[in-house]
């Protein structure tokens, strides 16, 4: 099966600019996650979707970050305006509800964002 | 809130030797899952092994095995017969089993493993 697709792979922007990341999960995976991984740290959950509904966005900085998952498939994560501290790798992951605990999640290769 | 601690920022092992990566966690829950993920330079997180808290038997996957000590809240990963391809960042992760599918993964800071030829 195809994996979790993310684009772009790299992005460099100036502070105060806006940026968007795209994620296409594995077909049929109802649950989709966005994680932020700052250099030297483990990934931290930003938002979790189940189908096209938000399950958990408690750690999403809502003043500048937004995310949507239209039709319960693809998802986009947007930052506007970006700050220097937003420099990180943004990982998307998906899973089947039925096998989430047995198989964990399938992760994409992430987008590395550099804010200058 | 649950936390995961990996106290070894970096580890090194000789090819074909055995290495153990440490992980401790803090939780008041009794039903949860623990995972080890590998992250090579490609950045994709790859599941190495998982452990269900209600199972006393330690999980094994080929050259990878865990030492799960529930009372001590310890979950170490042992890699036997280390290979050059094992070099990567390794993350320990916790997931609650409460709330069904709503639990997300909580990661430690990772351990960078180097394998010397």
């Amino acid at each position: 099966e195809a994996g979790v697709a993310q684009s772009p792979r790299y992005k460099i922007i100036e502070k105060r600019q806006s940026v968007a990341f795209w994620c296409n999960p594995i077909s049929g995976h109802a649950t989709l996650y966005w994680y932020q991984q700052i250099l030297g740290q483990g990934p931290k959950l930003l938002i979790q979707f189940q189908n096209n509904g938000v399950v958990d966005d408690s750690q999403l900085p809502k003043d500048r970050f937004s995310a949507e998952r239209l039709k319960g498939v693809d998802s986009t994560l947007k930052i506007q305006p970006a700050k220097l501290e937003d420099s990180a790798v943004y990982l998307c992951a998906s899973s089947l509800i039925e096998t989430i605990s047995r198989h964990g999640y399938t992760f994409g290769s992430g987008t590395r964002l550099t804010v200058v | 809130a649950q936390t995961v601690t990996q106290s070894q920022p970096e580890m090194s092992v000789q090819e074909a030797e055995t290495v153990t990566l440490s992980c401790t966690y803090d939780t008041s829950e009794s039903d949860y899952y623990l995972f080890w993920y590998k992250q090579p330079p490609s950045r994709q997180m790859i599941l190495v092994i998982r452990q269900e808290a209600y199972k006393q038997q330690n999980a094994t996957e080929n050259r990878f095995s865990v030492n799960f000590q529930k009372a001590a809240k310890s979950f170490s990963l042992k890699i036997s017969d280390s290979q050059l391809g094992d070099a990567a960042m390794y993350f320990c992760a916790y997931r609650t089993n409460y709330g069904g599918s709503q639990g997300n993964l909580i990661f430690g800071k990772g351990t960078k493993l180097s394998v010397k030829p």
Side-chain angles (χ1 to χ4, degrees), chain B residues 11-17 19 79 82-88 90 113-117:
Chain B
M11 291 285 285
S12 181
V13 64
Q14 204 73 32
E15 194 176 7
E17 297 294 310
V19 65
I79 306 174
S82 296
Q83 300 175 1
L84 295 177
D86 295 334
Y90 286 81
L113 178 67
S114 301
V115 181
K116 298 178 181 178

Side-chain angles (χ1 to χ4, degrees), chain A residues 9-10 33 35 37 40-43 45 48 50 55 89 91 100-105 107-110 112, chain B residues 33 35 37 39 41-47 50 91 95-97 100-110:
Chain A
R9 188 152 173 79
Y10 301 92
Y33 308 80
Y35 282 83
Q37 185 178 15
Q41 298 184 19
L45 180 73
Q48 176 185 349
Q50 190 155 308
V55 174
V89 173
L91 294 165
I100 189 171
S101 294
R102 187 163 65 253
H103 299 297
Y105 309 169
F107 283 84
S109 295
R112 181 181 295 279
Chain B
Y33 293 84
F35 303 85
Y37 277 88
Q39 187 178 42
S42 67
R43 301 198 301 255
Q44 186 176 18
M45 302 285 276
I46 301 166
L47 178 63
R50 59 180 285 280
F91 290 93
R95 181 183 173 273
T96 182
N97 199 33
S101 63
Q102 297 186 11
N104 70 88
L105 287 170
I106 299 170
F107 288 89
K109 289 189 174 183

Side-chain angles (χ1 to χ4, degrees), chain A residues 23-55:
Chain A
C23 173
N24 184 14
I26 292 175
S27 177
H29 280 197
T31 309
L32 185 147
Y33 308 80
W34 283 101
Y35 282 83
Q36 179 192 57
Q37 185 178 15
I38 293 173
L39 185 64
Q41 298 184 19
K44 182 188 79 171
L45 180 73
L46 289 175
I47 189 167
Q48 176 185 349
F49 292 94
Q50 190 155 308
N51 296 308
N52 60 349
V54 175
V55 174

Side-chain angles (χ1 to χ4, degrees), chain B residues 8-103:
Chain B
Q8 306 154 316
E10 295 188 28
M11 291 285 285
S12 181
V13 64
Q14 204 73 32
E15 194 176 7
E17 297 294 310
T18 296
V19 65
T20 298
L21 307 184
S22 301
C23 173
T24 59
Y25 58 95
D26 188 25
T27 184
S28 59
E29 299 172 343
S30 60
D31 192 11
Y32 50 87
Y33 293 84
L34 296 166
F35 303 85
W36 278 99
Y37 277 88
K38 171 185 178 182
Q39 187 178 42
S42 67
R43 301 198 301 255
Q44 186 176 18
M45 302 285 276
I46 301 166
L47 178 63
V48 175
I49 198 167
R50 59 180 285 280
Q51 175 78 41
E52 298 161 38
Y54 64 86
K55 287 188 175 180
Q56 292 186 337
Q57 186 173 7
N58 289 322
T60 62
E61 287 287 343
N62 301 312
R63 298 183 294 108
F64 300 88
S65 62
V66 299
N67 183 4
F68 174 49
Q69 301 290 328
K70 190 173 184 179
K73 298 180 182 175
S74 171
F75 182 61
S76 61
L77 173 69
K78 186 171 82 172
I79 306 174
S80 304
D81 186 25
S82 296
Q83 300 175 1
L84 295 177
D86 295 334
M89 286 291 293
Y90 286 81
F91 290 93
C92 178
Y94 171 102
R95 181 183 173 273
T96 182
N97 199 33
Y98 293 98
S101 63
Q102 297 186 11

Side-chain angles (χ1 to χ4, degrees), chain A residues 6 39 64 76 86 100:
Chain A
Q6 289 190 247
L39 185 64
R64 298 183 300 105
T76 56
D86 297 333
I100 189 171

